[in-house]
Amino acid sequence: MLKIAIDAMGGDFGPEPIIEGLVTALKKNNNFSAIAVGKKSEILPLLPQNLLSRIEILDTDDVISMSDSATDALKRKESTIYKAIELVREGKAGAVVSAGHSGASMSLATLRIGRIKGVSRPAIATLMPTSENQNTLVLDVGANVDSDAKNLFQFAIMGQVYAQYVLRLDEPIVGLLSNGEEDSKGNEVTKEAYKLLAKIPNFAGNVEGSDIFKGTVDVVVCDGFVGNILLKTAEGVADTIGKIIKKNLKRSLISIAGAVLMRKVFKNLKVRVDYAEYGGAPLLGVKAPVIIAHGKSNPKAIQNAIFQAINAASSNLDSIIEQRLVKYSTEQEIN
């Protein structure tokens, strides 16, 4: 049975929402067990008796806080995230989920689990809602501040494989984020990346920021600096739109009546922009699934992050990514 390692203490609100999400996931899926890493005295009272046979607790009380440096995690071998990553490295767990320090998770996963052969830098991927009944996978959204054309080429391969084998999309289409659709647009890095990505099947060329939310393509590739700004901007816009709607609905009885009639529409909108629906962001490019959840994750977000980890661990991503990197890199050298 697949085991998932859970950093039970890493979130902003302690172990309660993390364990609640884990318990819900265990009730809904009988095909995995978990190792909760954290303070046993705080975790054990949160676990129902009927699930104790499927949850191990690895007791440790050191937690990497958000104010700590990511490099601190490399030295603090008794910390929850270090021990969770080690469980995967040692083969005792097939994937890890953490809502803790994202920099620590990335650093430890890269150094302790290791990169997939052919991957220079791992990337964080996230799902963006679109106007269609689908989502756009965007990467990198924060793992790398500076990326070269080769990195972007690798991100495209990793994103396409994840979209195909985890998101279950047939022949996912890839776009390169730029300041215009023409192949002449972009800076020197994106222009060079365009030439490399042109060898990948289903490469649609350059796309603009608006295409992400139109669902023009399935995967959008960019460097982590641009991607993180894009992610934070999208979160801010969604939050602002919600506040504007609420503020204006209170201005008249007609608006209130209209809101009552449109409850289903508003509910669907909330679901589409709620990060809890997607769970977490996979760190692509390491040898085992690492899902980085939001620090403010509620139980639903943790549950969905765990389901992401299960799907990724069951998809043999590392070998598929390695094979495709070899294939398309070789084709480029030949051409």
Side-chain angles (χ1 to χ4, degrees):
M1 182 180 288
L2 175 65
K3 283 188 177 180
I4 305 295
I6 310 292
D7 178 2
M9 312 299 294
D12 293 354
F13 307 116
E16 288 85 355
I18 296 173
I19 297 302
E20 185 179 339
L22 170 59
V23 167
T24 304
L26 287 165
K27 290 178 178 178
K28 291 184 177 181
N29 188 323
N30 294 318
N31 298 318
F32 82 101
S33 60
I35 305 174
V37 184
K39 299 178 184 179
K40 186 173 183 178
S41 61
E42 295 186 26
I43 295 172
L44 190 57
L46 302 173
L47 300 177
Q49 289 292 318
N50 64 321
L51 290 177
L52 291 180
S53 62
R54 292 175 60 195
I55 304 175
E56 299 176 41
I57 300 176
L58 181 55
D59 190 23
T60 185
D61 60 4
D62 185 20
V63 181
I64 304 295
S65 70
M66 297 301 178
S67 60
D68 291 328
S69 168
T71 56
D72 289 344
L74 303 177
K75 307 169 188 175
R76 291 163 59 177
K77 297 183 179 182
E78 294 301 310
S79 68
T80 56
I81 184 58
Y82 193 104
K83 284 186 171 290
I85 292 289
E86 285 297 289
L87 288 170
V88 175
R89 188 182 77 86
E90 295 168 358
K92 296 176 181 178
V96 61
V97 173
S98 176
H101 195 304
S102 58
S105 299
M106 287 185 288
S107 298
L108 285 169
T110 303
L111 294 173
R112 302 301 297 170
I113 298 175
R115 299 189 301 268
I116 295 170
K117 185 178 180 180
V119 174
S120 302
R121 296 182 180 181
I124 298 176
T126 193
L127 290 168
M128 295 284 193
T130 73
S131 56
E132 304 298 325
N133 188 28
Q134 63 187 60
N135 297 295
T136 302
L137 185 72
V138 181
L139 73 164
D140 177 28
V141 293
N144 306 281
V145 176
D146 296 304
S147 303
D148 59 23
K150 182 180 177 182
N151 297 143
L152 295 178
F153 164 74
Q154 293 172 1
F155 296 168
I157 296 292
M158 295 190 295
Q160 195 171 52
V161 170
Y162 189 86
Q164 182 175 356
Y165 289 92
V166 177
L167 303 181
R168 309 298 182 190
L169 300 179
D170 293 329
E171 300 183 350
I173 301 171
V174 178
L176 177 64
L177 187 62
S178 189
N179 62 333
E181 295 180 354
E182 300 83 3
D183 56 11
S184 60
K185 293 287 187 176
N187 56 25
E188 293 305 313
V189 172
T190 54
K191 288 178 182 178
E192 182 63 27
Y194 189 103
K195 297 175 184 177
L196 298 179
L197 268 64
K199 306 296 182 181
I200 299 175
N202 299 316
F203 175 57
N206 287 336
V207 295
E208 299 179 352
S210 59
D211 289 306
I212 294 172
F213 305 100
K214 293 177 183 176
T216 306
V217 296
D218 302 304
V219 179
V220 170
V221 177
C222 59
D223 70 45
F225 180 77
V226 171
N228 193 258
I229 293 174
L230 167 67
L231 175 62
K232 299 294 176 58
T233 301
E235 290 175 347
V237 169
D239 185 57
T240 299
I241 289 175
K243 290 178 179 177
I244 291 172
I245 291 174
K246 288 181 180 179
K247 185 176 181 179
N248 282 276
L249 286 178
K250 296 177 182 178
R251 290 186 172 180
S252 71
L253 291 175
I254 294 177
S255 296
I256 294 172
V260 172
L261 295 173
M262 294 183 67
R263 278 181 299 181
K264 187 174 181 179
V265 173
F266 290 136
K267 184 178 180 180
N268 289 339
L269 175 62
K270 183 180 180 181
V271 168
R272 295 302 308 281
V273 301
D274 187 2
Y275 71 88
E277 293 294 325
Y278 312 117
L283 179 64
L284 300 181
V286 292
K287 293 179 180 178
V290 176
I291 306 298
I292 300 173
H294 200 293
K296 293 181 173 59
S297 290
N298 58 25
K300 185 176 184 180
I302 296 298
Q303 169 201 286
N304 288 331
I306 291 170
F307 289 158
Q308 264 201 73
I310 293 169
N311 290 338
S314 305
S315 301
N316 201 24
L317 291 179
D318 54 345
S319 62
I320 298 171
I321 289 172
E322 182 178 335
Q323 290 167 11
R324 291 201 183 179
L325 284 172
V326 170
K327 177 182 179 180
Y328 296 122
S329 296
T330 302
E331 287 183 1
Q332 288 174 356
E333 291 172 1
I334 294 174
N335 294 330

